[in-house]
Amino acid sequence: MAEGNEDTMEQFLNPSFALVTDAIIIPPIQANNFEVHPAFLQLFQSNQFSREDDYDPNLHVSGFLELCRLHKHNGVSTDVIRLILFPFTLKGKAKEWLRNEPEGSITSWDDLVIKFRNKFFTLSKFMQKKREIDHFSQNDGESFGAAWRRFKGLLTACPQYALQEGDNMVYALLIENF
């Protein structure tokens, strides 16, 4: 080792976790006794998202929000609960993505969702979903109710897509067969 460098092999083999940073800034919690029950954490961990999956990130966020509705705590905002619990729903490349986000770069639930969707709901996925919505039609023998549920499912899978005034032909096709 060079003169003046006092690092030992033990220090190299046992790195400090002081360098580990957190991208998510959790706002102050007003409750004195806030905790997340381990069984509740298991519920979130049973529905994890990974980039390797062919699972839709928009559906993941939607399912996550459904689970969050089950957990309320006085003095803790829904955003704080979401920011605390969302990392438990990630694994693999998705967890790695969150760990690699710059320290303190996520300050709200909206920040987290925007960054998550930008990373995992790629432009090609968006264009594919948009095409499915744009070219939607009721299948032969499909009831109006079933077609409507299928259409609403497409919209849920692509919340970034907003029907414009001239795009009402999808509704017209459905209503035509009602």
Side-chain angles (χ1 to χ4, degrees):
M1 292 191 172
E3 187 68 35
N5 188 347
E6 312 242 342
D7 292 336
T8 65
M9 185 61 78
E10 182 179 6
Q11 289 170 318
F12 283 111
L13 295 174
N14 297 306
S16 168
F17 286 100
L19 298 176
V20 177
T21 61
D22 198 351
I24 299 174
I25 295 178
I26 305 295
I29 298 174
Q30 303 303 319
N32 292 329
N33 59 354
F34 173 70
E35 70 178 56
V36 178
H37 194 277
F40 199 65
L41 280 178
Q42 286 178 342
L43 181 63
F44 283 91
Q45 289 174 323
S46 68
N47 184 30
Q48 289 184 314
F49 177 87
S50 173
R51 184 178 191 153
E52 293 88 14
D53 298 338
D54 194 27
Y55 185 54
D56 187 324
N58 291 313
L59 294 177
H60 180 73
V61 170
S62 179
F64 172 77
L65 292 174
E66 285 177 8
L67 289 175
C68 282
R69 286 186 207 113
L70 301 173
H71 193 274
K72 301 278 185 213
H73 196 283
N74 288 335
V76 183
S77 73
T78 56
D79 274 11
V80 167
I81 291 171
R82 292 170 182 171
L83 289 169
I84 290 171
L85 293 174
F86 191 75
F88 291 97
T89 70
L90 303 178
K91 66 180 181 179
K93 296 284 185 188
K95 188 75 156 187
E96 186 179 317
W97 159 77
L98 184 59
R99 284 189 187 124
N100 290 327
E101 282 294 293
E103 180 177 10
S105 63
I106 299 171
T107 59
S108 70
W109 171 245
D110 288 342
D111 283 348
L112 180 54
V113 171
I114 289 168
K115 288 181 183 210
F116 178 72
R117 284 183 173 153
N118 285 344
K119 179 65 177 176
F120 297 107
F121 195 66
T122 61
L123 181 59
S124 63
K125 281 186 183 183
F126 171 77
M127 295 307 292
Q128 175 192 355
K129 295 290 183 187
K130 184 179 181 317
R131 270 191 301 279
E132 289 177 37
I133 293 168
D134 288 344
H135 299 292
F136 181 84
S137 66
Q138 186 175 2
N139 295 327
D140 289 339
E142 184 178 31
S143 71
F144 173 77
W148 183 250
R149 284 188 296 278
R150 192 165 54 84
F151 180 67
K152 293 293 281 182
L154 290 173
L155 291 177
T156 300
C158 188
Q160 296 89 330
Y161 181 82
L163 289 176
Q164 297 170 356
E165 199 62 35
D167 292 336
N168 289 329
M169 69 176 187
V170 175
Y171 288 116
L173 288 172
L174 284 172
I175 293 170
E176 212 174 80
N177 296 304
F178 184 54

